């Protein structure tokens, strides 16, 4: 009898153990399946100076979107915020079908009294950010503008701040205080960070979503090359480990054109495709970046073009996925040819 009971308990124990392992296996299998089905979160920027082309793409791409950023509000010479008419609530509302979460992007560009514009300047930010009282006034103006124009959130895109000794020390307190003010007014906050941000030397406050730019490897500041490549993307992704959650990465459409005489300008995918067709030149896909590049000649001048298409963006997004980041922002809508063919966003 004792032997029978002993064997019975063994059988029961083995059965329970088997149930446990089967349960663990099924749970792990379910988790793997769920992870494989995780959809990328997607946001895009629309810009006021290319609104017509952007609106056409927006209608085609809208079903894929989770968030949209209206680019953007900038500053007048006296430091007051200015919102282009194209981004007012009435203009935005008539162009969208889906109820999207919308951010107002604010950039540190400034228009002067003579009509000229300064881009990515930090000097005038000193007076706005360097003491508690002025920061509070600036934050109040940001919140008031976002609420008046019925935005759901605010995005701060103040660039070059880390290269400015005075501004960098006040930028983190500004973000912390703006985050609290935004939350108190039922607004979300995104903060755009450049790839050269000194991530290991700063303590970014938790609360906002941080969007790190994974482009500008080559461009107006350099000779020919892609906006990003594998080594560059992986390097910045590695430095992002200290960035608080939630965090996202931003990739750029289009590219740049360089001439043998030193002229250079940004170019859209649509413009690049038109040049390819016009000059009937051969294009190749770069192995390190998956960007498309080609050359053509006008008289004695040689032009070189590098740009991103859907295949390029698919590759870049896959590198972010490998690092566990599935929140992607695309700069920008307008004059793209293949944006709606990005497989990882469908």
């Amino acid at each position: 009898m004792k032997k029978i009971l002993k064997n019975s308990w063994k059988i029961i124990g083995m059965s329970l153990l088997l149930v446990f392992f089967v349960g663990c296996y099924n749970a792990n299998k379910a988790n793997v399946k769920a992870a494989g089905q995780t959809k990328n979160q997607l946001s895009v920027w629309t810009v006021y100076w290319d609104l017509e082309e952007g609106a056409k793409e927006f209608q085609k791409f809208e079903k894929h979107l989770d968030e949209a950023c209206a680019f953007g509000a900038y500053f007048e010479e006296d430091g007051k915020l200015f919102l282009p008419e194209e981004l007012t609530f009435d203009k935005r509302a008539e162009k969208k079908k889906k109820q999207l979460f919308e951010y107002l992007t604010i950039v540190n560009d400034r228009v002067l009294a003579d009509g000229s514009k300064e881009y990515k300047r930090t000097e005038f930010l000193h007076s706005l950010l360097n003491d508690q009282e002025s920061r509070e006034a600036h934050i109040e103006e940001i919140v008031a503008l976002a609420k008046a124009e019925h935005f759901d959130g605010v995005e701060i895109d103040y660039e070059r701040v880390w290269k400015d000794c005075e501004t960098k020390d006040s930028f983190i307190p500004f973000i912390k205080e703006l985050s609290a003010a935004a939350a108190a007014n039922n607004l979300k906050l995104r903060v755009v960070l450049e790839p050269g941000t000194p991530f290991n030397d700063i303590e970014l406050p938790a609360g906002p979503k941080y969007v790190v730019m994974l482009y500008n490897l080559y461009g107006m500041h350099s000779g020919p090359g892609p906006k990003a490549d594998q080594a560059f993307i992986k390097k910045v992704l590695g430095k992002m480990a200290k960035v608080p959650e939630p965090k996202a990465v931003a990739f750029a459409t289009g590219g740049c054109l360089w001439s043998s005489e030193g002229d250079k300008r940004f170019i859209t995918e649509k413009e690049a495709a038109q040049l390819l067709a016009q000059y009937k030149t051969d294009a190749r896909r770069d192995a390190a970046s998956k960007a498309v590049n080609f050359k053509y000649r006008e008289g004695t001048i040689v032009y070189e073009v590098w740009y991103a298409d859907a295949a390029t963006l698919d590759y870049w997004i896959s590198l972010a996925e490998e690092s566990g980041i599935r929140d992607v922002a695309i700069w920008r809508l307008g004059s793209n040819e293949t944006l709606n063919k990005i497989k990882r966003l469908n």
Side-chain angles (χ1 to χ4, degrees):
M1 188 68 172
K2 287 182 178 180
K3 189 175 182 180
I4 293 172
L5 287 171
K6 187 176 181 181
N7 288 336
S8 297
W9 281 113
K10 281 184 178 180
I11 292 170
I12 292 170
M14 290 177 67
S15 298
L16 290 172
L17 199 61
L18 180 62
V19 169
F20 173 77
F21 281 119
V22 169
C24 288
Y25 171 77
N26 287 334
N28 288 334
K29 188 176 179 182
N31 288 338
V32 170
K33 185 177 180 182
Q37 291 177 341
T38 300
K39 178 185 177 293
N40 283 321
Q41 292 290 108
L42 177 63
S43 61
V44 292
W45 282 278
T46 58
V47 297
Y48 66 87
W49 63 85
D50 196 11
L51 209 60
E52 186 174 345
E53 286 291 326
K56 291 177 186 176
E57 286 183 22
F58 189 85
Q59 290 173 0
K60 296 178 182 178
F61 209 54
E62 192 173 6
K63 63 182 180 180
H64 303 293
L65 296 177
D66 300 289
E67 298 175 337
C69 301
F71 191 99
Y74 50 90
F75 293 85
E76 296 180 304
E77 188 165 3
D78 61 2
K80 298 295 183 183
L81 287 174
F82 175 80
L83 182 70
E85 183 183 355
E86 295 87 344
L87 302 183
T88 58
F89 176 70
D90 290 342
K91 296 290 185 182
R92 300 193 327 273
E94 66 188 30
K95 288 183 171 60
K96 66 177 183 177
K97 299 175 184 176
K98 181 180 174 183
Q99 188 59 44
L100 280 177
F101 196 97
E102 288 187 301
Y103 289 89
L104 168 62
T105 302
I106 302 174
V107 294
N108 56 322
D109 298 341
R110 184 171 65 160
V111 63
L112 303 180
D114 62 5
S116 62
K117 202 169 184 181
E118 298 178 333
Y119 296 95
K120 310 306 178 190
R121 302 299 291 268
T122 58
E123 296 87 352
F124 73 91
L125 291 177
H126 298 167
S127 60
L128 296 175
L129 306 183
N130 275 8
D131 65 74
Q132 184 75 39
E133 186 177 345
S134 58
R135 277 201 307 272
E136 286 180 1
H138 183 40
I139 289 168
E140 286 176 6
E141 186 181 17
I142 291 172
V143 170
L145 178 60
K147 288 178 71 68
E149 294 298 336
H150 303 281
F151 285 98
D152 306 298
V154 173
E155 178 179 73
I156 297 299
D157 185 11
Y158 295 173
E159 297 183 25
R160 301 180 184 171
V161 294
W162 308 108
K163 296 180 179 180
D164 188 292
C165 293
E166 291 187 56
T167 307
K168 69 178 182 179
D169 292 333
S170 56
F171 188 68
I172 288 179
F174 164 64
I175 293 302
K176 188 174 182 180
E177 292 161 18
L178 176 58
S179 180
N185 286 274
N186 200 31
L187 296 169
K188 288 190 177 181
L189 176 63
R190 288 181 20 148
V191 180
V192 177
L193 298 171
E194 295 168 282
T197 300
F199 297 107
N200 291 325
D201 300 325
I202 59 177
E203 290 292 335
L204 294 167
K209 177 187 287 189
Y210 293 99
V211 183
V212 179
M213 297 162 51
L214 294 185
Y215 51 93
N216 286 346
L217 177 62
Y218 293 90
M220 299 288 285
H221 62 287
S222 70
K227 284 191 174 182
D229 63 17
Q230 182 189 61
F232 167 75
I233 291 172
K234 287 190 171 183
K235 180 181 178 181
V236 180
L237 286 170
K239 295 194 298 182
M240 284 177 60
K242 278 194 67 180
V243 178
E245 297 286 355
K247 53 190 169 186
V249 290
F251 297 108
T253 62
C256 203
L257 178 151
W258 295 262
S259 82
S260 56
E261 291 194 337
D263 297 324
K264 57 190 77 171
R265 66 179 176 88
F266 288 121
I267 189 170
T268 66
E269 184 187 1
K270 187 175 183 178
E271 290 172 320
Q274 289 170 343
L275 287 171
L276 268 175
Q278 178 181 349
Y279 291 94
K280 297 179 174 59
T281 187
D282 293 326
R284 71 180 186 91
R285 193 172 296 279
D286 176 56
S289 65
K290 300 296 188 287
V292 182
N293 64 94
F294 62 90
K295 293 181 180 180
Y296 65 94
R297 180 186 293 273
E298 286 185 348
T300 59
I301 304 174
V302 177
Y303 294 89
E304 185 168 353
V305 175
W306 287 73
Y307 72 97
D309 63 4
T312 315
L313 289 160
D314 256 326
Y315 176 63
W316 292 346
I317 293 168
S318 75
L319 296 176
E321 290 175 355
E322 289 173 9
S323 293
I325 297 179
R326 303 189 69 95
D327 197 330
V328 175
I330 301 293
W331 173 267
R332 62 174 173 87
L333 291 187
S335 302
N336 298 297
E337 293 277 299
T338 61
L339 194 61
N340 61 341
K341 296 180 181 179
I342 301 174
K343 296 176 183 177
R344 281 179 166 78
L345 301 180
N346 291 323

